[in-house]
């Protein structure tokens, strides 16, 4: 929210400097983001009067002007503008002046003729025709203001002001207004708040002869207030009003539109003006949109409406989206003669949903969605009509239609000074509490606080304590110690383990990513997950931002592939990523899902293949003390390449999956190189951990090595061979390491040769052939009987 200090001075007189004001407001709870001195980049630019103008002796488009700039002698300025004549008042940037954008003006020569400055256009002063409608767009700004030569141009054009920008929290919609911030300022600085009720004279006639109002949905529109103005004169707003709008970041348009924007800024109540001639049946109905209805809004876009959207309609069709934007079919134009001023209160949740569904966020919707004061509609429409009469923009028809369709709740709370002091750890007098609350607009009588309608955030005694504390000063409340036993912080065992796991993944070359837990149905399609798959049974979000974020994911692979695809599009050649992804598995008969954490690894690049990623997974399992995990060929996972995918399991429990992604999946994510991924269920992995590691001393006897090469069927896996070798080798077999796989002559067709290096060692003696020969025979016997593998 932007606040003009000149506008603020109309409501309370504060003498503090800009920095003092900002610091004090921040301390009292209205956080200031910063402030801007308007025209801060403009210096040494004054009003000049053109005394004479002559052709440049060496140019057919330049003019030499003698300008009275309020100095002892006139200055000579050369200009190329064609709209300047003798007697004009113009902005003159003198030698050493600065303009917006860091432009510096110095005297010099133009084609041999000395020029002691520059005459300025609107653009060069940071203005446009909306600020001064009488000025020309391309040419020197000819001033029609009440000014004299030598006057500082900043004061003439309204740049003698400071704009303070506040960060207003959503629970304080009252501070999205000049009056709301003026109230906070007055209490902060102990100054008088000057508020007055708008006065409207009226011009006779009766509003009931013009319009009828009906509210069909009181839950979404508890109050609708309207007034009619006839004999409208569409013209530019006066200078003071345009300057206040501009300082607040609103572009002036014309007097009627500017009045509605001015009231929205001043009172915080959005307003809208309908062209009365465009209201069919002279009737306004606040209702839900009907199936199939559309509306072209003021921004020129055709909007498809749905029955859950609240609209403002006439007797025939919608003429505005309630709380968001008016329709082009009732827009104010230069031909408008009579207008209907709308000042209504709409349900904030409904407005937000409608604005999000239509993809249009406006100043009005931004205010309504925070929950506005239902009692603010009447003074706002009165202020608009007061401005109409003040500006001579039309004649206000007598009478107000104020339809209150729902009860407006009044909140009362007991004043409990001792309880407030106990909460704050302070000793604040009751008189001070009453004074602060009264100045903020609360009523305090007989120990009962009546909360004003614009403070919807006050519901509990702790809220009252906050109001007292922020004006008493948090900085003067003495610090107190916590009572009770101290609670020692730290990480849980699971948190510490996940942190260590992250360090391991980074240590083996992976970079962490963090993705949203939301995905869309199309992500399952891109992963080729069948319709019958349990992974498709996802929790649906009630109010998603869009269809692509409407489901809570049941697997972390789509999110990983999305990031890998983005990296590939950025031409990153070698990528290794990991994520500790939360997934949400629906539980039959339960409201809440089963939340599980999965470690997802993803990689592509010239050095990546199935075995490099398998090595990384084995490193993770080894770090977590999960020993003996099996990698079994998995053919029924559509997301992975057939024959290049394995299920990771231990003791009948599935730990995860690893493999190369299916080429179609890679294509769906725009990746043109093989991608390898693994997903481990950390709950199952951690449940499979071995007992705490214990130290085992090295044997003082040497190891004995034997090479073993066997011929077996092509379908026999190395893992099954290794499993049977280790099982048959007993406790003296310390390791079985694969070092060769061979196919071809002289190995028969359909067969392969697999060679292992076996390490034998004993803690009790040095081993000899006598010790090892029986073990080798046993190993060969088991391999023959179980896998039909024979020694080569």
């Amino acid at each position: 929210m932007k606040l003009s200090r000149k506008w603020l001075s109309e409501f309370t007189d504060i003498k503090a400097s800009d920095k003092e004001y900002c610091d004090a407001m921040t301390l009292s709870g209205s956080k200031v983001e910063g402030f801007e001195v308007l025209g801060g980049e403009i210096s040494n630019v004054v009003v000049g009067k053109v005394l004479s103008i002559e052709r440049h002796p060496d140019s057919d488009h330049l003019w030499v002007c003698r300008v009275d700039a309020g100095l002892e002698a006139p200055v000579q300025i050369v200009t190329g503008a064609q709209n300047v004549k003798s007697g004009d008042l113009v902005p003159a940037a003198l030698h050493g002046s600065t303009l917006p954008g860091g432009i510096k003006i110095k005297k010099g020569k133009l084609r041999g003729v000395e020029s002691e400055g520059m005459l300025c256009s609107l653009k060069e002063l940071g203005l446009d025709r909306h600020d001064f409608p009488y000025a020309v767009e391309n040419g020197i700004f000819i001033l029609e203001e009440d000014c004299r030569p030598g006057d500082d141009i900043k004061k003439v054009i309204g740049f003698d002001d400071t704009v303070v920008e506040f960060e207003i929290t959503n629970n304080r919609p009252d501070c999205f207004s000049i009056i709301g911030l003026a109230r906070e300022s007055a209490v902060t600085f102990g100054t008088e708040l000057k508020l007055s009720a708008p006065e409207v004279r009226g011009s006779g006639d009766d509003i009931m002869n013009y319009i009828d109002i009906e509210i069909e949905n009181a839950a979404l529109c508890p109050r609708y207030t309207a007034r009619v103005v006839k004999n409208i004169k569409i013209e530019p707003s006066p200078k003071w009003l345009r300057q206040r709008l501009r300082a607040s970041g609103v572009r002036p348009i014309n007097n009627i539109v500017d009045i509605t924007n001015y009231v929205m800024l001043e009172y915080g109540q959005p307003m809208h003006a309908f062209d009365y001639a465009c209201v069919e049946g002279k009737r306004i109905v606040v209702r839900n949109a009907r199936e199939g209805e559309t509306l072209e809004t003021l921004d020129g876009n055709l909007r498809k409406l749905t029955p859950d959207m609240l609209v403002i309609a006439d007797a025939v069709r919608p003429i505005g989206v309630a709380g968001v934007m008016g329709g082009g079919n009732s827009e104010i134009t230069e031909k408008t003669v009579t207008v209907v001023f709308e000042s209504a209160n709409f349900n904030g949740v409904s407005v937000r949903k409608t604005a999000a569904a239509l993809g249009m966020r406006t100043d009005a919707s931004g205010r309504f969605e925070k929950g506005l004061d239902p009692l603010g509609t009447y003074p706002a429409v009165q202020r608009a009509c007061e401005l109409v009469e003040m500006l001579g923009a039309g004649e206000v028809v007598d009478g107000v239609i104020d339809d209150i369709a729902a009860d407006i709740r009044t909140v009362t709370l007991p004043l409990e000074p001792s309880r407030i002091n106990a909460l704050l750890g302070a000793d604040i007098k009751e008189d001070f509490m009453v004074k602060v609350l009264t100045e903020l607009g609360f009523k305090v009588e007989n120990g009962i606080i009546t909360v004003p309608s614009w403070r919807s955030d006050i519901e509990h005694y702790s809220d009252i304590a906050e109001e007292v504390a922020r004006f008493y000063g948090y900085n003067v409340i003495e610090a107190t110690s916590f009572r009770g036993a101290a609670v020692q912080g730290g990480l849980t065992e699971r948190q510490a383990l996940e942190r260590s796991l992250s360090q391991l993944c980074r240590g083996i070359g992976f970079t962490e990513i963090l993705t949203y837990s939301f995905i869309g149905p199309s992500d399952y399609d891109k992963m080729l997950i069948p319709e019958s798959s349990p992974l498709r049974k996802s929790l649906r979000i009630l109010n998603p931002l869009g269809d692509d974020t409407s489901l809570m994911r049941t697997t972390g692979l789509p999110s990983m592939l999305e990031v890998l695809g983005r990296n590939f599009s950025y031409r990153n050649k070698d990528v290794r990523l990991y994520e500790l992804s939360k997934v949400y598995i629906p539980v039959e008969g339960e409201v809440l899902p089963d939340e599980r954490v999965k470690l997802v690894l993803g990689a592509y690049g010239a050095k990546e293949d199935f075995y490099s990623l398998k090595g990384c997974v084995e490193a993770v399992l080894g770090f977590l003390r999960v020993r003996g995990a099996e990698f079994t060929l998995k053919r029924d996972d559509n997301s992975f390449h057939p024959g290049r995918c394995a299920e990771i399991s231990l003791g009948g429990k599935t730990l995860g999956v690893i493999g190369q992604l299916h080429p179609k999946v890679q294509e769906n994510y725009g990746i043109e190189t093989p991608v390898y991924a693994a997903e481990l269920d950390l709950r199952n992995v951690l449940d499979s951990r071995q007992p705490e590691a214990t130290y085992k001393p090295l044997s003082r006897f040497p190891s004995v090595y034997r090479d073993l090469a066997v011929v077996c069927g092509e379908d026999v896996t190395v893992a099954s061979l290794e499993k049977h070798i280790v099982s048959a080798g007993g406790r003296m077999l310390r390791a079985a390491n694969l070092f060769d796989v061979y196919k071809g002559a002289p190995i028969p067709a359909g067969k392969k040769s697999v060679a292992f290096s076996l390490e034998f060692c004993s803690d009790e003696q040095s081993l000899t052939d006598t010790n090892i020969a029986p073990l080798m025979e046993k190993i060969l016997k088991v391999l023959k009987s179980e896998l039909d593998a024979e020694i080569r």
Side-chain angles (χ1 to χ4, degrees):
M1 176 70 188
K2 293 183 177 180
L3 174 68
S4 160
R5 289 203 64 182
K6 285 179 66 175
W7 196 348
L8 173 67
S9 65
E10 181 179 312
F11 297 98
T12 187
D13 189 19
I14 295 174
K15 303 297 185 183
S17 68
D18 294 332
K19 188 175 187 312
E20 290 171 343
Y21 175 77
C22 294
D23 290 345
M25 291 298 289
T26 298
L27 283 174
S28 67
S30 301
K31 183 183 177 185
V32 174
E33 286 290 289
F35 67 89
E36 176 189 5
V37 179
L38 296 184
E41 294 183 296
I42 299 176
S43 66
N44 203 25
V45 182
V46 300
V47 175
K49 183 176 182 180
V50 180
L51 300 177
S52 64
I53 181 169
E54 298 177 355
R55 284 252 181 219
H56 191 289
D58 194 25
S59 174
D60 58 357
H61 72 279
L62 293 178
W63 299 87
V64 182
C65 305
R66 288 181 64 252
V67 179
D68 177 7
L71 304 176
E72 293 181 359
V75 296
Q76 180 172 286
I77 296 178
V78 178
T79 181
Q82 306 300 308
N83 67 318
V84 180
K85 63 183 183 299
S86 180
D88 285 343
L89 293 174
V90 294
L94 304 179
H95 172 68
S97 60
T98 58
L99 295 172
I103 299 173
K104 296 180 179 180
I105 305 300
K106 296 181 179 180
K107 63 182 179 180
K109 289 185 178 181
L110 291 176
R111 293 198 178 183
V113 176
E114 185 174 348
S115 179
E116 299 178 84
M118 183 181 76
L119 304 184
C120 300
S121 65
L122 280 173
K123 185 177 181 180
E124 286 160 342
L125 293 173
L127 303 169
D128 57 38
R129 284 201 64 195
H130 292 287
D131 298 301
F132 290 91
Y134 63 78
V136 296
E137 192 76 37
N138 299 309
I140 299 302
F141 180 16
I142 309 301
L143 295 163
E144 296 181 7
E145 309 303 314
D146 183 15
C147 54
R148 298 179 302 173
D151 287 350
D152 189 341
I153 197 66
K154 290 193 286 188
K155 187 171 183 180
V156 174
I157 63 177
F159 274 6
D160 56 334
D161 192 7
T162 298
V163 176
V164 181
E165 185 167 0
F166 288 88
E167 179 188 327
I168 308 299
T169 53
N170 290 339
N171 67 324
R172 291 300 304 277
D174 59 300
C175 286
F176 281 94
S177 68
I178 304 298
I179 290 177
L181 289 174
R183 182 181 292 109
E184 293 287 314
S185 301
V187 181
T188 299
F189 287 91
T191 56
E192 179 187 359
L193 180 64
K194 296 173 283 188
L195 297 179
S196 58
E199 295 182 2
V200 183
R201 296 189 304 274
S203 62
D205 211 338
D206 187 352
I207 191 174
M208 302 307 294
N209 298 329
Y210 287 80
I211 199 76
D212 179 43
I213 309 291
E214 180 185 356
I215 299 176
E216 288 188 0
N217 193 333
L220 301 185
C221 179
R223 188 172 188 178
Y224 193 99
T225 309
R227 291 204 73 163
V228 173
V229 180
K230 62 183 181 180
N231 298 327
I232 288 292
K233 301 173 186 176
I234 304 293
E235 56 188 10
S237 299
K239 175 184 172 182
W240 64 267
L241 194 148
R242 296 197 309 269
Q243 289 178 348
R244 289 186 177 182
L245 291 180
R246 192 180 195 283
S248 300
V250 177
R251 188 183 69 175
I253 298 176
N254 60 52
N255 52 356
I256 299 301
V257 176
D258 291 351
I259 284 172
T260 60
N261 287 331
Y262 187 92
V263 172
M264 179 181 69
L265 293 169
E266 188 175 52
Y267 280 75
Q269 171 64 45
M271 290 189 61
H272 187 68
F274 297 104
D275 187 335
Y276 175 72
C278 300
V279 180
E280 299 286 345
K282 312 310 174 191
R283 187 164 181 262
I284 288 179
V285 182
V286 186
R287 61 171 173 82
N288 287 77
R290 299 191 179 104
E291 193 68 48
E293 282 188 322
T294 60
L295 173 66
E296 183 179 328
T297 47
L298 288 172
D299 57 5
N301 293 316
L302 185 65
R303 310 288 181 176
K304 294 182 179 180
L305 307 176
T306 57
D308 59 339
M309 297 178 181
L310 192 70
V311 297
I312 310 301
D314 57 20
V316 178
R317 81 266 195 235
I319 56 175
V321 181
V324 183
M325 187 179 287
N329 54 12
S330 58
E331 181 180 5
I332 303 298
T333 67
E334 294 181 355
K335 297 180 181 180
T336 300
V337 177
T338 304
V339 300
V340 178
F341 277 130
E342 167 194 278
S343 178
N345 185 264
F346 301 113
N347 178 273
V349 175
S350 172
V351 171
R352 180 172 178 79
K353 287 183 176 180
T354 299
L358 295 177
M360 49 192 299
R361 192 99 188 277
T362 62
D363 284 343
S365 68
R367 283 172 161 80
F368 276 121
E369 67 187 27
K370 294 171 178 62
L372 296 183
D373 176 15
L375 299 185
T377 62
Y378 180 79
V381 78
Q382 289 292 89
R383 176 59 167 159
C385 291
E386 181 184 49
L387 288 170
V388 167
E389 294 181 340
M390 185 186 303
L391 305 184
E395 300 174 8
V396 180
V397 173
D398 286 350
V400 181
I401 296 181
D402 190 16
D403 192 345
I404 302 176
D407 293 335
I408 299 172
R409 183 173 65 101
T410 300
V411 177
T412 59
L413 295 168
L415 176 62
E416 303 172 288
S418 59
R419 197 177 182 192
I420 290 173
N421 280 322
L423 179 63
L424 299 177
D427 185 18
I428 304 173
K429 302 298 183 185
E430 181 177 350
D431 291 346
F432 179 84
M433 298 181 185
V434 173
K435 175 179 177 293
V436 167
L437 294 173
T438 302
E439 290 175 349
L440 287 171
F442 294 77
K443 291 182 180 179
V444 184
E445 294 179 351
N446 301 321
I448 299 297
I449 304 169
T450 302
V451 180
S453 58
W454 62 82
R455 291 301 303 272
S456 57
D457 60 310
I458 305 296
E459 296 181 341
H460 191 259
Y461 93 94
S462 58
D463 299 323
I464 298 295
E466 181 182 1
E467 297 301 298
V468 172
R470 64 192 183 96
F471 290 105
Y472 180 75
Y474 287 112
N475 55 322
V476 299
I477 297 177
E478 294 184 4
T480 55
S481 301
F482 284 109
R483 297 173 182 172
V487 178
Q488 185 174 355
L491 300 175
T492 65
E493 182 182 0
R494 178 62 62 91
Q495 290 171 333
L497 188 62
E498 290 181 1
R499 183 170 295 186
S500 299
L501 186 57
S502 287
Q503 292 175 346
L504 172 70
C505 291
R506 292 192 294 270
I508 57 178
F510 286 79
T511 300
E512 185 173 16
I513 62 171
L514 183 63
T515 61
Y516 289 113
S517 299
F518 315 134
I519 61 173
S522 61
D523 289 293
Y524 292 139
D525 297 335
K526 291 166 72 174
M527 292 294 297
L528 306 183
I529 296 176
E531 293 292 337
S532 59
S533 173
L535 294 177
R536 290 266 187 176
K537 297 178 181 179
S538 305
L539 290 179
R540 181 168 291 275
I541 300 171
L542 294 179
N543 56 340
L545 296 175
D547 190 59
D548 58 338
T549 55
S550 61
L551 303 177
M552 302 297 290
R553 65 187 176 193
T554 56
T555 171
L557 287 174
S559 304
M560 174 60 71
L561 267 292
E562 194 72 41
V563 179
L564 287 173
R566 195 177 308 125
N567 275 272
F568 186 83
S569 69
Y570 296 158
R571 300 185 179 180
N572 292 332
K573 295 181 179 179
D574 297 287
V575 177
R576 277 186 164 192
L577 303 175
Y578 82 94
E579 180 181 23
L580 292 170
S581 304
K582 265 199 175 182
V583 299
Y584 304 83
I585 312 299
V587 179
E588 189 72 30
E590 298 288 339
V591 176
L592 297 178
D594 179 17
E595 295 186 22
R596 306 177 80 96
V597 177
K598 294 200 175 185
L599 173 64
V600 183
L601 303 177
Y604 69 78
K607 297 180 181 179
E608 301 295 341
D609 58 21
F610 177 90
Y611 296 104
S612 65
L613 187 63
K614 179 173 180 283
C616 294
V617 171
E618 289 174 336
V620 169
L621 295 176
F623 171 77
L624 296 175
R625 302 196 308 276
V626 177
R627 304 184 185 93
E630 298 180 358
F631 292 75
T632 308
L633 182 65
K634 184 177 176 65
R635 298 185 182 275
D636 59 350
D637 195 323
N638 294 1
S639 300
F640 290 89
H641 194 297
R644 300 181 187 176
C645 174
E647 181 179 83
I648 309 168
S649 60
L650 180 63
K653 182 177 294 185
T654 300
L655 305 184
V657 64
I658 180 175
Q660 179 183 336
L661 270 298
H662 195 286
K664 182 63 177 176
V665 173
Q666 295 175 194
E667 180 184 337
N668 291 340
Y669 286 95
I671 308 175
E672 300 173 1
T673 188
V675 178
Y676 302 91
E679 185 175 39
L680 297 177
D681 188 326
L682 280 191
R683 184 184 298 175
N684 289 348
V685 170
L686 296 179
D687 288 344
S688 302
R689 298 177 77 193
Q690 303 298 320
E692 192 70 33
T694 56
Y695 168 75
K696 186 176 182 180
L698 296 175
S699 174
R700 55 194 180 91
F701 299 102
S703 295
V704 177
Y705 296 88
R706 293 287 186 271
D707 289 344
L708 174 65
V710 295
V711 177
C712 60
E714 285 188 349
D715 59 339
V716 176
T717 64
V718 171
S720 61
L721 286 170
E722 182 181 354
K723 179 181 177 181
H724 286 85
I725 290 172
V726 171
S727 175
R731 61 186 180 86
M732 284 193 289
L733 178 60
R734 298 296 172 90
N737 298 313
L738 173 74
F739 69 86
D740 182 57
V741 177
Y742 174 74
K743 297 179 184 178
I747 304 301
K751 299 283 187 176
K752 64 182 177 181
S753 170
V754 183
F756 292 89
S757 174
L758 308 183
E759 177 187 358
F760 295 92
C761 187
S762 171
D763 296 329
E764 301 167 355
Q765 61 179 342
S766 293
L767 299 179
T768 64
D769 286 343
T770 305
N771 305 114
I772 296 174
L775 295 177
M776 294 295 293
E777 291 178 6
K778 183 179 180 182
I779 291 172
L780 290 172
K781 184 176 180 181
V782 169
L783 292 179
K784 173 62 178 176
S785 61
E786 297 294 334
L787 301 176
D788 194 23
E790 296 180 336
I791 189 168
R792 179 179 173 183

